[in-house]
Amino acid sequence: MAVPGSTLLFIFGTRPEAIKLAPLIREFRERPDVKVLVCVTAQHREMLDQVLSFFEITPDYDLNIMTKNQTLFDVTVVGLKALEEVLTHSKADLVFVQGDTTTSFIGALAAYYKKIKVAHIEAGLRSGNKYSPFPEEMNRVLASHLADFHFTPTRQSVGNLERENIKAHLYKVGNTVIDALFLGLDLINRQNESAFTKYFPGVQLQKRIVLITGHRRESFGGPFEDICHAIRDVAEKFKEVEFVYPVHLNPNVQEPVNRILMGLTNVHLIAPLDYPPFIWLMNKSYVVLTDSGGLQEEAPALGKPVLVMREVTERKEGIDAGTAKLVGTDRTVIVEELTRLLSDEGAYQIMAKAVNPYGDGTACKQIADLVMKILPKG
Ligand code: UD1
Ligand code: UDP
């Protein structure tokens, strides 16, 4: 058993980290032998707060570092310095970081500087290209080499770590995103449709829906504009289809999306959604068009074809299973592939199969059980 009162410190800063760590925080809160502390860098603000509020998490430390259109240097430098004091004050025995954001990297680095052990959740994903996703691929590599315990989602991610000679304390547990998804679906099943339809005034929900998200740094500028033009082309061609796009708050996303996609009656540009209505909409969608990491994991579990607007992905399992397809950011290719899915029922059915390569919803319980064994004995 763990030492009574061992302190676990969760450090995260963005929406996806919050979604993927929230069920784990809840799991640990039910364990009597540990003290759970939460530190948010708040690399994101509104989009993070949406998740904290749904999962009823009140941070013990809130570094509130987000600034408008922040650079990687801003997040790294300001966040790292602020974490020094948190680590001193919290007396953490084990620090948890998740995934590949700059907060994950600096959280692992700060803990290492303080010689505190690091547990990395969703370890081992690799695209093999350090500029795509940027800077996430390198954040992930660095976090892996700083971490002491590696909780990986799939066999492929185990293999990736082993190839980098990371072999100790490597545990395949599935992705906690599936635990979060099941929590979300459970809530949806217990509520009336009206609890969700109210988020989509003006969207004709009985029609086929293309759900869109996009925010990758490596696509900013020309490639992102191409993505928007491609969406516009297809929306003009398929007037009977609804396109719903909850637009990420990054100004580099907001500006081109609003400029290029505003004014089409079947394109709905809306604010980022709370997690349950977002999952509800995904479940109702016909196709998902995205560059998001999390959506590449959630959509296959729901049997939704995903067109991935990236040149490479570190989530190859959905591609291998056939539910996801890489389409890059080329306007012509995106138009062709989306057109095919909207007009060729055979092609659609081949992709529309529920496969869930990312876990069975027990990742959090497995991680908590393992950590209770790993922590120093009393
Ligand atoms: C970050 C992560 C990325 C992750 C994504 C999830 C890094 C370098 N990037 O990218 O890996 O996939 O989050 O969404 O860690 N903003 C707001 N309010 C918010 C959130 C963002 O206004 O709640 C705006 C701000 O102007 C902010 C900008 O978006 O400066 C960029 O935020 P940042 O976290 O640096 O990058 P993301 O593109 O969100
Ligand atoms: N999501 C959400 N509301 C939205 C868009 C996405 O709750 O309006 C959720 C989605 O279900 C997924 C996560 O946010 O779990 C993905 O976050 P994001 O795309 O910002 O980051 P990434 O996964 O690419 O790192």
Side-chain angles (χ1 to χ4, degrees), residues 14 16 43-47 66-70 72 75 100-102 135-136 215-217 248-251:
T14 66
Q43 173 181 338
H44 281 177
R45 188 69 275 172
E46 304 90 317
M47 287 159 57
M66 195 195 85
T67 53
K68 200 169 172 346
N69 210 3
Q70 63 206 3
L72 297 176
V75 178
D100 57 11
T101 67
T102 295
E136 290 80 8
H215 67 81
R216 298 247 72 86
R217 260 186 167 75
H248 192 291
L249 295 180
N250 194 323

Side-chain angles (χ1 to χ4, degrees), residues 229-241:
H229 283 296
I231 295 165
R232 192 177 176 101
D233 292 346
V234 182
E236 282 174 340
K237 199 154 118 189
F238 290 88
K239 292 262 175 354
E240 73 287 7
V241 175

Side-chain angles (χ1 to χ4, degrees), residues 14-17 19-20 44 47 50-51 98 100-101 122 136 140 177 180-181 211-216 245-248 270-279 282 290-298 310 314-315:
T14 66
R15 170 173 67 190
E17 293 162 83
I19 290 170
K20 290 169 171 180
H44 281 177
M47 287 159 57
Q50 283 181 299
V51 184
Q98 197 284 336
D100 57 11
T101 67
E122 197 190 73
E136 290 80 8
R140 222 183 255 284
V177 76
L181 179 67
L211 172 63
I212 304 162
T213 77
H215 67 81
R216 298 247 72 86
Y245 188 162
V247 188
H248 192 291
I270 60 176
L273 287 162
D274 289 346
Y275 183 59
F278 185 79
I279 293 297
M282 197 185 321
T290 191
D291 64 16
S292 155
L295 266 76
Q296 289 180 66
E297 295 152 348
E298 293 161 341
R310 297 189 188 186
E314 66 286 29
R315 276 118 173 147

Side-chain angles (χ1 to χ4, degrees), residues 295-316:
L295 266 76
Q296 289 180 66
E297 295 152 348
E298 293 161 341
L302 297 174
K304 304 297 171 184
V306 198
L307 297 182
V308 182
M309 299 184 291
R310 297 189 188 186
E311 305 303 331
V312 287
T313 182
E314 66 286 29
R315 276 118 173 147
K316 300 187 177 74

